[in-house]
């Protein structure tokens, strides 16, 4: 198992054991667990991600720490936009869409307000970092 996978597994386990709360770098921050279907493999993938609420929707940022490439989960949601979300003690189905401007910038700035590190991510790369909106399915 890669270091990233091992780190994610620990965060996922802590999230589930503590009703969606974790410590460390994410203590006091709002996280969700995003279940996607692999774009190539078709296998389920689970990623812990920082999020913000936007009315009845959630927004997540495909920053990959400011890398010049998108994270794998981004390609998964573009290929298979029907996802499962764990938030706190709830699990629900959602539809994932990439936010268009000016909504993308508005949501990104909203994330920066609660997690200032995201400002550094956009400064580290020349790519436009996507914002994914998760709309719960009724």
């Amino acid at each position: 198992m890669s270091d990233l996978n091992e780190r994610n597994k620990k965060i996922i386990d802590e999230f589930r054991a503590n009703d969606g709360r974790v410590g460390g770098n994410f203590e006091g921050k709002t996280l969700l667990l995003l279940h996607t279907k692999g774009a190539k493999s078709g296998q389920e993938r689970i990623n812990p991600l920082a999020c913000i609420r936007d009315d009845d929707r959630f927004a997540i940022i495909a920053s990959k720490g400011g890398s010049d490439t998108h994270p794998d989960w981004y390609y998964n949601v573009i290929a298979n936009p029907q996802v499962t979300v764990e938030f706190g003690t709830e699990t629900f189905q959602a539809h994932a869409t990439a936010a268009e401007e000016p909504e993308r910038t508005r949501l990104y700035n909203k994330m920066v307000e609660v997690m200032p590190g995201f400002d550094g991510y956009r400064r580290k790369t020349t790519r436009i970092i996507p914002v994914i909106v998760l709309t719960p399915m009724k």
Side-chain angles (χ1 to χ4, degrees):
M1 185 178 291
S2 74
D3 289 342
L4 178 62
N5 287 342
E6 185 61 33
R7 184 179 68 109
N8 281 351
K9 183 181 180 328
K10 288 178 182 178
I11 294 170
I12 291 165
D13 291 345
E14 185 178 1
F15 180 99
R16 289 176 172 161
N18 296 293
D19 298 330
R21 291 182 301 278
V22 298
N25 293 337
F26 296 109
E27 187 167 357
K29 306 301 182 202
T30 305
L31 295 185
L32 58 74
L33 300 183
L34 179 68
H35 297 243
T36 62
K37 181 178 176 182
K40 294 179 184 174
S41 70
Q43 295 181 342
E44 181 185 49
R45 306 288 186 208
I46 304 173
N47 289 278
L49 299 168
C51 67
I52 54 170
R53 300 284 304 251
D54 188 57
D55 296 322
D56 63 337
R57 310 173 312 161
F58 294 84
I60 53 178
I61 312 292
S63 65
K64 197 177 177 182
S67 172
D68 288 331
T69 60
H70 298 318
D72 291 344
W73 66 258
Y74 169 79
Y75 298 105
N76 294 346
V77 299
I78 296 304
N80 301 296
Q82 195 146 335
V83 298
T84 300
V85 175
E86 291 181 59
F87 182 74
T89 59
E90 294 181 68
T91 301
F92 56 90
Q93 299 296 304
H95 185 77
T97 55
E100 300 290 333
E101 293 297 352
E103 182 180 45
R104 189 205 71 81
T105 296
R106 178 184 69 80
L107 292 171
Y108 199 104
N109 290 339
K110 190 173 176 180
M111 177 68 85
V112 169
E113 289 175 17
V114 295
M115 291 190 75
F118 279 89
D119 190 43
Y121 299 157
R122 66 181 164 191
R123 295 178 193 285
K124 283 175 59 176
T125 184
T126 57
R127 74 180 168 99
I128 301 298
I129 297 175
V131 173
I132 302 298
V133 176
L134 304 172
T135 305
M137 298 170 72
K138 308 241 187 282

